[in-house]
Amino acid sequence: MQTNLLNLKHLSFLLELIFMLTNSPSILAQTDLLPSSYGSAFVKTTSIMDQYHPMVGGMGAVIVHENIALGGFGNALLGHPSFEEKLQDGTEEVYLKLGYGGLFAEYFLVRNSSWQCSIPLKLAYGAAGLYQQENDERVERIGLLVVEPEFHIDLRLGKHLAIGLQASYRAAFADNPLFLDEQQLRGFNMGVGLKFISR
């Protein structure tokens, strides 16, 4: 008899625990205790080495205040731009690899159920590598500090989805470059992004 009572107590406790776990997210959301957040994937064209090339990446943030979000991001060149560069043994055909990621703060100028407009300011660290086209041998690799102010306009497609346009400028600062030039790695970016919004 006592064993049956203990089993009933355990079963009752287990059912209550399951009920709390399955209902607590909706309860918290209703009381606005959970912060809003979003994740985004984007593709853009970037000006680099006096050429335009595609770049892909993603970003995500938590909206910590009505108009302020904090998050992280990362992106890299899709493909490898090729060009001629003056090296120690003369002018050779080379190609570039570039990627960087870091943190950002975002200020919303407009944020409502129809559309939103924001200014993210990104601070990142990354690397650029220069490789010989003929044998894929690395010629140079440098570290980069990147400051990238952006401008976003997003159109809400529903409660949890938005599509938007992005424009930014990449200011890159190289760590003791030998052949690569900081100016070659700086440039404007234009792209589109798809955002998945929690609420």
Side-chain angles (χ1 to χ4, degrees):
M1 182 69 177
Q2 188 174 0
T3 305
N4 290 338
L5 287 174
L6 287 173
N7 287 337
L8 285 174
K9 286 182 179 179
H10 291 158
L11 181 61
S12 175
F13 174 75
L14 185 60
L15 290 173
E16 287 179 15
L17 183 61
I18 292 172
F19 177 80
M20 288 173 59
L21 290 174
T22 55
N23 285 279
S24 59
S26 60
I27 293 169
L28 288 173
Q30 290 170 6
T31 56
D32 289 335
L33 292 177
L34 283 178
S36 180
S37 60
Y38 73 81
S40 172
F42 57 81
V43 58
K44 56 188 177 182
T45 179
T46 182
S47 172
I48 193 164
M49 299 293 184
D50 299 320
Q51 306 172 31
Y52 280 91
H53 293 276
M55 179 174 273
V56 293
M59 57 191 295
V62 174
I63 298 171
V64 296
H65 184 266
E66 183 180 349
N67 295 321
I68 298 174
L70 300 175
F73 79 101
N75 51 210
L77 281 176
L78 186 64
H80 310 305
S82 59
F83 52 94
E84 289 188 346
E85 184 75 13
K86 290 182 180 179
L87 304 179
Q88 292 173 341
D89 298 329
T91 302
E92 293 188 33
E93 190 76 14
V94 295
Y95 65 88
L96 176 74
K97 292 183 179 180
L98 172 70
Y100 55 93
L103 303 174
F104 68 91
E106 183 174 14
Y107 181 76
F108 289 91
L109 301 170
V110 177
R111 183 169 173 257
N112 56 47
S113 59
S114 300
W115 69 290
Q116 56 190 32
C117 174
S118 63
I119 304 173
L121 178 61
K122 295 178 175 179
L123 179 64
Y125 187 79
L130 201 61
Y131 297 80
Q132 289 180 332
Q133 192 77 263
E134 184 179 359
N135 53 18
D136 295 325
E137 183 179 342
R138 189 172 74 190
V139 177
E140 181 178 20
R141 184 182 184 279
I142 57 172
L144 290 177
L145 178 66
V146 176
V147 179
E148 190 170 358
E150 286 191 337
F151 180 74
H152 290 192
I153 296 180
D154 300 311
L155 178 65
R156 298 288 286 259
L157 302 178
K159 186 177 180 181
H160 301 291
L161 187 64
I163 188 169
L165 298 175
Q166 304 176 4
S168 66
Y169 178 76
R170 178 183 56 257
F173 304 93
D175 180 20
N176 298 321
L178 184 59
F179 300 110
L180 287 168
D181 185 358
E182 287 180 353
Q183 289 297 127
Q184 294 175 302
L185 301 175
R186 297 174 181 175
F188 289 95
N189 312 293
M190 291 288 292
V192 294
L194 193 62
K195 287 185 179 178
F196 302 92
I197 306 165
S198 65
R199 61 181 175 85

